[in-house]
Amino acid sequence: MPPRQKKTTLSLGKILIFAATILIATYAWHSLAENGAIAGKDKQEHGQHAGPAYELLDVAMPDSIESIYVEYTGMKLSFNPRLHIPNWVAWELTGNETRGTVKRENKFFCDESVRGCAETYDYSYSGYDRGHMAPAGDMKWDPQAMHETFYLTNICPQAKSLNTGAWKRLEEKCRTWARADSSIIIICGPVVTDRPIEYIGDTRVAVPRRFFKVIISPYATPPRGIGFLMPNGKVHGGMQEAATTIDEIERITGYDFFHSLPDNMESAIESQCDFHYWSTIK
């Protein structure tokens, strides 16, 4: 993880410019929403999305990264057939969906329709958990969406200390934020540009060194975003130390998130890293 930047004192001029940018971005977002350019926040059903809100789940990637694009009921993802793990997984989570009652499954599957998908036995005796990218807990609103989170196209080898530690706590926080703000957009995955720690199983599934998660709350006033970068192990300092800007995650991964947003709004959201503000949301 890159060193945290030292705090600097901002001039009054810079503060005014930043405040003006936020106000413009907020006005632009709500204008788009009122005119129907962005799907309504009171959407009751998830399923197959449509419209520009769905486009927020798209990620622009370098051509050098192998990718098979896959859409499921509640998530879309880019799968890397060479590394046998996803490049990224994206989904929208609404407050209503966090209140679903579908029971969790616990059986993992190979998605045989996707070239390069790992087999369940690749993880056996490896010392790594089968770590969800889109968590089963976010898909309790639909049995098929729940089932599809257990496809190994949505799974990466994760150290137990990460999978049951800071990564799990961040998943739980996301549900809190979705209920507070009515809807959030989440994109996460391994940093595939890193050299893998090792390879496991007969399929030779890559074990990532780091994982990222980027989150935007498009219906907050003003809209906001934050990123997280976590090592594949114990996260010292927890979520707060792992917090960073979406801009920094883009620099590390080479991805371009939320590129369908107006440029001024994208810049304002992706430059933020106010963990204290997010952590106080209940």
Side-chain angles (χ1 to χ4, degrees):
M1 177 178 174
R4 297 178 67 82
Q5 293 183 344
K6 295 182 179 179
K7 293 182 179 179
T8 56
T9 302
L10 295 176
S11 67
L12 178 60
K14 287 182 178 179
I15 293 172
L16 292 173
I17 291 171
F18 182 75
T21 301
I22 292 293
L23 288 173
I24 292 169
T26 303
Y27 175 79
W29 179 268
H30 287 288
S31 295
L32 288 169
E34 289 171 3
N35 292 325
I38 297 173
K41 66 179 179 179
D42 295 323
K43 175 178 61 64
Q44 297 292 322
E45 297 179 358
H46 203 114
Q48 294 296 322
H49 294 260
Y54 186 50
E55 294 175 5
L56 293 176
L57 304 180
D58 284 326
V59 180
M61 300 169 56
D63 293 338
S64 58
I65 297 177
E66 294 187 38
S67 173
I68 298 174
Y69 183 76
V70 186
E71 287 199 32
Y72 292 113
T73 304
M75 60 184 174
K76 55 170 52 174
L77 60 84
S78 163
F79 185 75
N80 192 309
R82 181 177 64 85
L83 300 176
H84 313 291
I85 54 177
N87 294 310
W88 53 263
V89 181
W91 66 104
E92 180 184 16
L93 181 62
T94 71
N96 286 334
E97 288 164 354
T98 67
R99 301 179 179 93
T101 58
V102 174
K103 291 185 178 180
R104 177 187 170 93
E105 292 187 17
N106 283 303
K107 186 176 180 181
F108 293 85
F109 304 89
C110 170
D111 187 342
E112 296 180 356
S113 69
V114 180
R115 176 173 57 87
C117 184
E119 300 284 351
T120 56
Y121 54 73
D122 286 316
Y123 287 77
S124 298
Y125 310 108
S126 68
Y128 294 98
D129 286 359
R130 298 174 179 92
H132 283 78
M133 295 298 96
D138 284 7
M139 304 295 170
K140 291 181 178 180
W141 50 271
D142 182 84
Q144 185 64 22
M146 167 70 73
H147 176 78
E148 289 168 349
T149 65
F150 286 86
Y151 279 135
L152 291 173
T153 46
N154 178 48
I155 303 298
C156 289
Q158 283 189 327
K160 183 173 290 294
S161 56
L162 174 64
N163 189 35
T164 62
W167 192 257
K168 180 181 179 181
R169 289 192 292 274
L170 181 54
E171 291 173 342
E172 293 166 347
K173 273 292 187 183
C174 285
R175 291 174 203 129
T176 298
W177 298 335
R179 287 190 290 270
D181 292 343
S182 80
S183 173
I184 60 174
I185 304 293
I186 308 167
I187 306 175
C188 71
V191 180
V192 297
T193 50
D194 289 344
R195 181 172 56 84
I197 295 173
E198 60 178 316
Y199 298 88
I200 60 172
D202 293 342
T203 306
R204 291 184 56 77
V205 180
V207 179
R209 291 184 178 275
R210 297 183 290 178
F211 292 89
F212 72 86
K213 182 168 285 189
V214 296
I215 304 154
I216 64 169
S217 184
Y219 299 109
T221 304
R224 60 178 175 269
I226 194 168
F228 294 88
L229 186 67
M230 297 185 179
N232 195 356
K234 184 175 177 58
V235 181
H236 297 284
M239 286 186 290
Q240 182 169 1
E241 285 301 309
T244 186
T245 65
I246 297 173
D247 281 337
E248 178 63 11
I249 301 297
E250 289 184 326
R251 185 191 70 79
I252 290 168
T253 61
Y255 299 164
D256 184 6
F257 304 106
F258 314 121
H259 51 82
S260 63
L261 289 173
D263 289 344
N264 60 342
M265 183 186 304
E266 182 183 3
S267 296
I269 290 174
E270 294 185 351
S271 62
Q272 301 170 22
C273 180
D274 189 346
F275 179 79
H276 177 72
Y277 184 77
W278 284 84
S279 66
T280 58
I281 298 171
K282 297 181 179 179

